[in-house]
């Protein structure tokens, strides 16, 4: 695998771009790095400006054992695509976001910069903790339940089938605030709450109003109190908003069905009023919103008085929204207003504060929706959770992950290709602003999905080391299990004798490493190894370089040239079998069986060498 480290390399990170988040009209310097002895005589940069291809010549310099080519890239458009033409002994090749290719490629996998602003500055550094509010912790203050609800004791098993949606365990926002010390000790930096508005189910994606926080969760004052408690503990706080649909009990939908001439009738996609209407995946209790209505826009997401705006502003001051069903929002047959919706939501958010975060639920290819000022990122199922699961998951359970036949098992080479294609299809800043995850309240729990406990550890290590802002589901850190989304939503056990404390210690160590590492937060990405049973990559920022290696079975040691890696490496995380050994002009990295390890490499040789 040494060839992965001895060829030309570029990624749009701070290591190779003078400003990865350029302003419109700014010219940035981009660089390609390669060994000084590489058989590439000339490199040029091809970009697209105002829809037309342009070619830019660069300059090269040699420092020590490496050569860099530098280019001045004007950033005029919202999205700035570019790739590099490399001419060597074997003829011209193109360096693209998926690596070096020997044909004339389309622009689909070009590197991409955005001039519309990257994610809030704090997002890449944050590890998230997802909480299903009814199932995390209870203050004991719940009053009378509505007629649809089934009151359950904390240890009552989660039901199977539709009745599970009516189970209410009494978890609330005051209960969450009382348990924040657990999150601080774990090392996470933020909380992601699933919906908090009144509804007629425990998941609350069928909102009955957006005007207030559900009284079952403590109401508006409880959210304000949780916000203050998070501030005291140094934690961020985001919540779920649904722009695609409401519940059929929502006050808007009731008004719409009651009167075809009511303004709210224009909020929904009626085919034949009042009983035939579009809905989420054909579920009649989740009627779909029609974003052609200006009144809907202003009530829901356009402007500071909208639902989206009001909860981002004081006194609630949410740090952002996770946007449910973002891939479907504004799309109904021939009507597609998704671009207009996401830009309007972004304008509302930015007007309140550019440090508010918008992350979209999207479970497949988001490339066409990552085109400028809209979502800062997405829930990266395609580029993180599904590739990792396909490599480390139980084949029987992989069938549950996607529609149709489910997720196919894959070897490491195919997993690497999938990760590359997703990363190359979106702007670099969009990837850093995305939520990386292994699972959520909508999937099996990772420890159940993984083929073994050892492989679950390997997968969690990859989650904490791939680009993006990682998120774990409450209870993952103590070993909770669940084969489907109903079982996944089991109440958090606060009897610590039921916790897996060894697992908790391993999770805590990795989370704290991720939270303190500039390279893991903002660093570039370069493969060092891609084989059936082993994957390794380098994450490098301007101040730190790390080597990450994961194996799912016994694998030969990884041997890397000292000219690239440096003379020595410090083990930051890994089992007793993880080793690094100097052998003449190579560093050898090894471990036995399924393993995950992170080494800190020597300071960047390139930047420490004096000019020659």
């Amino acid at each position: 695998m040494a060839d992965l480290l001895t060829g030309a390399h570029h990624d749009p990170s701070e290591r190779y771009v003078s400003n990865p988040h350029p302003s419109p009209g700014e010219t940035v310097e981009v660089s390609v790095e390669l060994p000084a002895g590489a058989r590439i005589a000339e490199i040029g940069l091809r970009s697209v400006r105002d829809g037309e291809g342009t070619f830019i010549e660069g300059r090269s310099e040699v420092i020590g054992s490496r050569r860099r080519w530098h280019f001045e890239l004007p950033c005029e458009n919202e999205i700035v695509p570019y790739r590099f033409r490399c001419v060597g002994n074997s003829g011209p090749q193109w360096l693209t976001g998926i690596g070096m290719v020997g044909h004339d490629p389309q622009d689909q996998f070009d590197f991409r910069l955005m001039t519309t602003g990257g994610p809030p500055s704090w997002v890449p550094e944050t590890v998230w903790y997802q909480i299903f509010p009814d199932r995390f912790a209870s203050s004991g203050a719940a009053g009378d339940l509505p007629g649809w609800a089934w009151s359950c004791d904390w240890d009552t098993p989660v039901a199977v089938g539709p009745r599970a949606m009516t189970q209410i365990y009494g978890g609330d926002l005051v209960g969450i605030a009382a348990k924040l010390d657990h999150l601080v000790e774990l090392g996470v930096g933020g909380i992601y709450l699933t919906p908090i508005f009144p509804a007629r189910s425990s998941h609350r994606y069928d909102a009955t109003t957006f005007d207030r926080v559900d009284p079952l969760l403590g109401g508006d004052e409880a959210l304000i109190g949780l916000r203050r408690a998070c501030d005291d503990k140094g934690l961020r706080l985001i919540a779920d908003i649904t722009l695609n649909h409401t519940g059929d009990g929502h006050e808007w939908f009731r008004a719409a069905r009651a009167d075809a001439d009511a303004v709210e009738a224009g909020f929904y996609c009626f085919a034949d009023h009042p009983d035939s209407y579009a809905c989420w995946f054909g579920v009649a209790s989740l009627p779909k919103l029609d974003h052609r209505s200006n009144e809907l826009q202003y009530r829901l997401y356009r402007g500071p008085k909208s639902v989206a705006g009001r909860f981002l502003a004081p006194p609630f001051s949410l740090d952002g929204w996770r946007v449910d069903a973002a891939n479907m929002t504004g799309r109904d047959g021939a009507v597609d207003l998704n671009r207009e919706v996401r830009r309007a939501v972004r304008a509302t958010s930015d007007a309140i504060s550019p440090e508010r975060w918008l992350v979209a639920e999207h479970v497949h290819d988001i490339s066409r929706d990552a085109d400028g000022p809209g979502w800062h990122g997405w829930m990266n199922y395609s580029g993180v959770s599904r590739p990792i699961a396909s490599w480390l998951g139980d084949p029987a359970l992989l069938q549950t992950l996607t529609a149709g036949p489910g997720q196919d098992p894959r070897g490491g080479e195919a997993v690497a290709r999938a990760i590359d294609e997703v990363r190359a299809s979106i702007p670099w800043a969009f990837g850093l602003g995305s939520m990386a995850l292994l699972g959520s309240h909508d999937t099996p729990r990772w420890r159940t999905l993984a083929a073994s406990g050892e492989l679950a550890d390997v997968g969690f290590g990859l989650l904490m080391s791939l680009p993006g802002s990682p998120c774990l589901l409450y209870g993952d850190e103590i070993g909770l299990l669940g084969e489907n989304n109903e079982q996944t939503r089991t109440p958090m056990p606060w009897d610590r004798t039921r916790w897996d404390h060894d697992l908790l210690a391993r999770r805590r160590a990795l989370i704290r490493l991720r939270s303190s590492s500039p390279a893991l937060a903002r660093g570039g990405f370069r493969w060092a190894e891609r084989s059936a049973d082993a994957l390794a990559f380098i994450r490098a920022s301007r101040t730190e370089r790390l080597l990450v290696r994961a194996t799912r079975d016994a694998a030969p040691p990884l041997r890397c040239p000292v000219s690239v890696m440096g003379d020595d490496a410090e083990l930051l995380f890994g089992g007793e079998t993880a080793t690094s050994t100097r052998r003449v002009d190579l560093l050898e990295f090894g471990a036995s069986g399924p393993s995950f390890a992170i080494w800190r490499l020597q300071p960047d040789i390139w930047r420490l060498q004096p000019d020659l």
Side-chain angles (χ1 to χ4, degrees), residues 52-63:
E52 185 64 33
T54 63
F55 200 80
I56 300 171
E57 295 183 353
R59 59 181 177 83
S60 72
E61 60 175 331
V62 175
I63 298 179

Side-chain angles (χ1 to χ4, degrees), residues 2 5-6 15 33-37 63-67 526 538 545 560-568 582-587 601-606 609:
L5 297 174
T6 57
R15 183 177 171 87
E33 185 176 280
L34 63 161
I63 298 179
S65 63
R66 289 189 252 179
R67 177 187 295 272
R526 182 175 192 175
I538 294 174
R545 293 195 307 153
C560 303
V562 169
S563 60
V564 175
M565 310 300 277
D567 293 319
D568 198 5
R582 172 72 184 268
R583 299 189 186 281
V584 192
D585 59 349
L586 295 174
L587 270 182
L601 305 177
Q602 285 188 329
D604 191 346
I605 297 171
W606 173 269
Q609 286 276 4

Side-chain angles (χ1 to χ4, degrees), residues 128-137 154 171-173 175-177 179-180 182-183 188 190-196 203-205 217 226 230 235-240 440-441 445 471-475 477 489 492 494:
W128 292 95
Y129 192 85
Q130 183 188 0
I131 292 178
F132 196 81
D134 181 57
R135 309 291 163 85
F136 185 66
W154 204 250
D172 55 21
L173 303 183
I176 295 172
K179 298 294 187 180
L180 294 186
H182 172 66
L183 278 63
V188 299
I191 297 171
Y192 153 39
L193 298 173
T194 57
I196 55 176
H203 60 66
R204 293 185 170 86
Y205 287 101
L217 297 179
L226 178 58
C230 286
L235 297 170
R236 299 285 178 173
L237 180 65
I238 68 170
D240 225 309
S440 70
H441 67 295
R445 284 194 178 261
C471 180
L472 65 153
L473 180 63
Y474 75 94
E477 73 278 14
R489 300 169 188 176
M492 177 77 171
W494 290 105

